[in-house]
């Protein structure tokens, strides 16, 4: 080789070192083609990488149909002699995709072997555009497979304005080998970074959900209505079908979504919730798909969206009917194709998520009236589950009430009296417009307002009861439906039994906190007088 080329080979040595220090694929590929294209005799340098599926060639050639793998042009750099304004760094055009085995580039990828044309003028038959080669004074072509551990990753190709020498081809092979190793390393770095970002995202998103993840505790209920819901959960959970959970506010739709995820094949991956009603209209796209730094005012750094955080797991779209109509088409695209772009970025990203949506609206009517996309509605409504309101499953109210009371006891680490039969009857006689969420709130308020051994329930419809004074009332130990008439002797006997039960529960302690008088709501002196009158004494042990 002529000594005039020594500086050029020094630049190739520097390129080998620079490749090893680049930890992102796109900048790495641009670095390679840029450095190669800076050599005076190189007209064009390009790199294609093999990608799976969904990429028929732009010219719709028959050979592309059904092709599982395809070469994607990922980096390009060069200089035209004919058109000084030509941009050879563009990644679109007729040669942006190659099926494996098609033309020289596809043949290189399919066979894992280099193609070296020292003199294009003598071997122009393989050129797709011989006129272009003649006008640009192309004389040589070198195409090298990018191979790592016997796997072909793609193709590195250069068109030169000199006839390629043996030494030049040796350097090309060396660069291709180093490029393949550097691509694999960069992909590994990017994967690690994505996993770190996803973990940080999950922590960020899930931190706010921990408080409400068990808002209603586990699914509680033995009514026929709830048994039917759980049968449907068992049927759909192992599949990847989209689920639309219907029901009034506060019925526990989120609990059903979490149960589906827990029983699914994606359970080891995150369940990410999006409350579609709480997002401002301007931030919907960013919240779903993420954004890049500078995409809009306030975007001070790159940020991934909920879809990326839920990758391989489940995305729960709560109150899905609140999504703006103009965003629904983008949401539909992700659901159908698994592709999206961050706001302010042209890179298309792939995602694999299962969608569970919930709403208290009639989405079918909304779709018929043009307020919700029909195609999106049918995409979400693959398997509908309707969660019944509490008023039609009143048999579950005692179970739910005791469950919530148990959660409060555990959380506050305090002893609380049990709910009585009259308590349950009063709760079951109420229609619960706020459903399970309202029941939980009523139980929590009753614990705060507890006096002695009696719970106070603040129910909204009490204001409509004749004679209601607006004051909190102690629930009596009688039915709220009708009072049973008892003879005086039986009333006295019940009072005696009640006092003995309180004494035994307090280990015959009369005074102080948790004493029998405190449990009965009596003064200790009053209780002592009644015990004397009824001849109540502790039995000798």
């Amino acid at each position: 080789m002529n000594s005039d080329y020594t500086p050029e080979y020094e630049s190739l040595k520097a390129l080998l070192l620079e490749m090893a220090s680049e930890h992102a694929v796109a900048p790495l590929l641009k670095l390679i083609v840029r450095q190669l294209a800076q050599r005076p005799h190189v007209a064009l340098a390009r790199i294609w990488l093999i990608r799976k599926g969904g990429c028929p060639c732009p010219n719709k050639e028959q050979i592309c149909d059904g092709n599982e793998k395809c070469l994607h042009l990922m980096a390009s750099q060069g200089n035209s002699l004919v058109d000084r304004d030509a941009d050879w760094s563009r990644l679109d055009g007729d040669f942006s995709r190659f099926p494996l085995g098609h033309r020289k580039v596809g043949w290189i990828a399919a066979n894992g072997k280099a193609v070296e044309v020292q003199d294009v003028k003598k071997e122009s038959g393989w050129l797709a555009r011989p006129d272009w080669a003649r006008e640009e004074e192309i004389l040589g072509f070198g195409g090298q497979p990018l191979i790592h551990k016997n796997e072909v990753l793609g193709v590195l190709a250069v068109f030169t304005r000199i006839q390629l020498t043996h030494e030049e081809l040796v350097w090309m092979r060396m660069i291709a080998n180093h490029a393949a190793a550097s691509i694999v390393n960069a992909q590994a770095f990017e994967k690690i970074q994505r996993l770190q970002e996803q973990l940080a995202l999950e922590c960020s998103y899930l931190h706010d959900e921990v408080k409400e993840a068990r808002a209603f505790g586990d699914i509680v209920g033995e009514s026929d209505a709830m048994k039917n819901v759980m049968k449907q959960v068992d049927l759909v959970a192992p599949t990847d079908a989209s689920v639309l959970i219907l029901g009034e506010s506060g019925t526990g739709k989120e609990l059903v979504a979490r149960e589906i995820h827990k029983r699914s094949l994606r359970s080891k991956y995150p369940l990410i919730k999006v409350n579609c009603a709480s997002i401002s209209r301007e931030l919907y796209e960013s919240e779903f798909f993420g954004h890049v730094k500078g995409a809009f005012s306030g975007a001070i750094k790159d940020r991934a969206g909920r879809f990326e955080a839920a990758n391989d797991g489940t995305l729960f779209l709560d109150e899905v009917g609140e999504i703006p109509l103009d965003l629904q088409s983008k949401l539909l695209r992700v659901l159908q194709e698994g592709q999206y772009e961050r706001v302010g970025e042209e890179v298309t990203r792939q995602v694999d998520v299962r969608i569970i949506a919930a709403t208290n609206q009639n989405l079918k009517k909304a779709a018929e009236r043009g307020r919700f996309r029909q195609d999106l509605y049918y995409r979400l409504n693959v398997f509908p589950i309707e969660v019944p309101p509490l008023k039609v499953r009143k048999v579950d109210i005692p179970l739910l009430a005791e469950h919530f009371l148990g959660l409060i006891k555990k959380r506050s680490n305090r002893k609380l009296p049990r709910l009585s039969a009259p308590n349950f009857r009063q709760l079951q006689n109420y229609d619960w417009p706020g459903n399970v969420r309202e029941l939980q709130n009523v139980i929590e308020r009753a614990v705060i307002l507890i006096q002695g051994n009696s719970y106070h329930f603040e129910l909204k419809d009490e204001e409509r009861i004749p004679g209601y004074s607006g004051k909190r009332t102690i629930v009596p130990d009688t039915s709220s439906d009708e009072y049973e008439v008892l003879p005086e002797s039986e009333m006295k006997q019940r009072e005696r039994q009640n006092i003995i039960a309180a004494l035994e529960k307090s280990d015959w302690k009369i005074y102080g906190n948790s004493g029998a008088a405190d449990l009965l709501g009596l003064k200790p002196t009053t209780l002592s007088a009644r015990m004397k009158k009824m001849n109540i004494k502790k039995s000798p042990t």
Side-chain angles (χ1 to χ4, degrees):
M1 189 72 188
N2 192 305
S3 60
D4 293 341
Y5 288 94
T6 302
E8 292 184 38
Y9 291 115
E10 288 298 323
S11 69
L12 293 180
K13 291 178 183 178
L15 172 60
L16 297 178
L17 295 174
E18 289 182 58
M19 281 194 286
S21 61
E22 183 57 66
H23 294 164
V25 175
L28 168 66
L29 302 182
K30 289 180 181 179
L31 167 69
I32 296 169
V33 297
R34 185 177 64 249
Q35 291 287 75
L36 292 175
Q38 284 178 352
R39 306 179 72 201
H41 58 278
V42 174
L44 178 64
R46 285 188 158 182
I47 294 176
W48 291 264
L49 293 183
I50 295 175
R51 293 288 182 263
K52 290 184 178 180
C55 50
C57 295
N59 54 8
K60 307 294 184 185
E61 296 183 60
Q62 187 175 359
I63 195 171
C64 297
D65 294 340
N67 203 60
E68 292 186 0
K69 291 184 179 180
C70 185
L71 284 165
H72 287 219
L73 181 61
M74 304 298 292
S76 178
Q77 195 71 44
N79 299 286
S80 173
L81 296 178
V82 178
D83 183 2
R84 296 296 183 183
D85 295 326
D87 182 6
W88 284 5
S89 66
R90 293 179 58 174
L91 302 180
D92 54 0
D94 292 342
F95 304 106
S96 60
R97 301 287 188 272
F98 278 106
L100 299 193
H102 190 54
R103 299 191 185 278
K104 275 287 191 288
V105 173
W107 187 92
I108 295 169
N111 294 278
K113 296 180 180 179
V115 170
E116 298 162 349
V117 181
Q118 293 184 333
D119 191 345
V120 169
K121 290 180 179 179
K122 296 179 181 179
E123 302 179 54
S124 62
W126 61 273
L127 284 172
R129 293 181 179 174
D131 291 343
W132 169 82
R134 185 174 57 256
E135 291 171 357
E136 294 291 347
E137 300 180 6
I138 304 298
L139 296 179
F141 170 81
Q144 293 284 348
L146 301 171
I147 302 175
H148 183 264
K149 292 186 177 179
N150 297 321
E151 179 185 358
V152 179
L153 308 178
V155 175
L156 168 64
V158 295
F159 294 84
T160 65
R161 294 189 171 100
I162 64 168
Q163 293 184 9
L164 292 177
T165 64
H166 174 72
E167 189 173 2
E168 186 81 11
L169 296 174
V170 170
W171 272 100
M172 280 290 297
R173 181 68 255 153
M174 189 184 304
I175 291 170
N177 289 338
H178 280 74
S182 298
I183 288 169
V184 171
N185 289 337
Q187 289 173 336
F189 275 109
E190 286 184 338
K191 184 175 182 180
I192 292 170
Q193 186 175 3
R194 282 196 304 271
L195 290 173
Q196 288 176 334
E197 290 176 355
Q198 187 169 353
L199 182 60
L201 264 173
E202 290 173 23
C203 290
S204 174
Y205 287 137
L206 296 178
H207 177 76
D208 294 334
E209 294 185 26
V210 167
K211 297 177 183 177
E212 59 182 89
R214 298 262 176 172
F216 302 154
D218 294 320
I219 294 179
V220 175
E222 294 183 352
S223 62
D224 290 341
M226 286 310 297
K227 286 179 180 178
N228 182 53
V229 168
M230 295 312 298
K231 284 181 182 177
Q232 295 179 74
V233 168
D234 284 335
L235 286 172
V236 76
T239 74
D240 248 356
S242 298
V243 180
L244 181 60
I245 305 173
L246 308 167
E248 298 176 6
S249 294
T251 51
K253 296 187 291 294
E254 182 177 344
L255 272 184
V256 175
R258 292 184 181 279
E259 195 66 25
I260 293 170
H261 175 72
K262 187 169 71 174
R263 302 184 187 200
S264 75
L265 300 177
R266 297 173 179 262
S267 58
K268 63 181 179 180
Y269 298 104
L271 168 71
I272 300 296
K273 175 187 173 183
V274 184
N275 189 328
C276 301
S278 66
I279 305 172
S280 64
R281 186 179 183 85
E282 299 77 17
L283 295 178
Y284 260 102
E285 195 169 351
S286 171
E287 193 69 26
F288 278 133
F289 310 129
H291 62 256
V292 295
K293 181 179 179 180
F296 51 83
S297 178
I300 58 175
K301 63 179 181 179
D302 289 1
R303 180 179 183 272
R306 304 272 177 145
F307 269 93
E308 192 167 339
N311 192 33
D312 293 326
T314 303
L315 187 65
F316 175 46
L317 303 177
D318 197 11
E319 301 189 57
V320 69
E322 300 297 328
I323 298 176
L325 198 60
D326 55 351
L327 183 66
Q328 291 176 18
S329 60
K330 295 185 178 181
L331 177 60
L332 184 64
R333 178 198 173 203
V334 183
L335 300 188
Q336 291 178 333
E337 303 175 13
Q339 295 182 336
Y340 70 96
E341 291 83 30
R342 289 183 179 179
V343 178
E345 185 179 59
E346 296 182 357
V347 176
T348 298
R349 298 173 182 267
Q350 292 287 138
V351 70
D352 176 20
V353 299
R354 181 186 191 171
I355 297 295
I356 300 177
T359 182
N360 58 9
Q361 301 180 26
N362 189 328
L363 282 192
K364 185 177 182 180
K365 285 187 177 180
E368 291 170 352
R369 295 171 182 172
R371 296 201 300 266
F372 197 87
R373 288 183 63 110
Q374 285 197 346
D375 46 6
L376 179 58
Y377 166 69
Y378 289 120
R379 185 67 179 79
L380 295 173
N381 194 40
V382 175
F383 194 93
I385 296 178
E386 186 165 359
V387 184
L390 192 54
K391 64 185 177 184
V392 303
R393 46 179 291 225
K394 289 190 175 182
V395 68
D396 292 331
I397 288 177
L399 293 173
L400 287 163
E402 287 188 326
H403 180 69
F404 294 142
L405 189 61
L407 292 177
I408 295 169
K409 286 180 180 178
K410 187 175 181 180
R411 187 170 63 239
S412 61
N413 195 26
R414 59 184 287 199
K415 292 183 179 180
L416 293 169
R418 295 175 62 88
L419 292 162
S420 66
N423 292 150
F424 293 140
R425 285 194 292 270
Q426 185 187 16
L427 295 175
Q428 288 178 307
N429 286 334
Y430 181 58
D431 273 344
W432 300 104
N435 291 295
V436 182
R437 183 179 292 118
E438 184 182 6
L439 174 60
Q440 183 190 22
N441 293 341
V442 165
I443 297 298
E444 289 186 352
R445 279 200 302 271
V447 170
I448 294 171
L449 299 171
I450 192 169
Q451 296 178 7
N453 199 31
S454 300
Y455 288 104
H456 305 253
F457 296 135
E458 291 186 335
L459 303 178
K460 292 180 181 178
D461 65 350
E462 286 182 339
E463 298 178 5
R464 299 192 293 273
I465 298 175
Y468 176 70
S469 64
K471 298 178 181 179
R472 304 184 187 101
T473 56
I474 298 176
V475 179
D477 288 335
T478 55
S479 169
S480 59
D481 294 328
E482 69 179 64
Y483 293 92
E484 183 180 1
V485 178
L486 299 174
E488 180 67 11
S489 59
E490 187 169 342
M491 286 289 292
K492 288 182 178 179
Q493 181 61 26
R494 288 195 176 188
E495 182 181 10
R496 176 185 174 84
Q497 290 173 348
N498 194 45
I499 290 174
I500 292 174
L503 287 165
E504 288 178 346
K505 187 172 183 179
S506 62
D507 198 25
W508 289 83
K509 174 185 173 185
I510 297 175
Y511 295 82
N513 292 334
S514 300
D518 185 49
L519 294 176
L520 293 168
L522 299 174
K523 292 181 179 179
T525 53
T526 302
L527 176 57
S528 297
R530 291 186 184 181
M531 288 172 62
K532 185 176 181 180
K533 183 179 179 180
M534 296 179 182
N535 193 27
I536 297 174
K537 297 179 181 178
K538 184 178 181 181
S539 300
T541 56

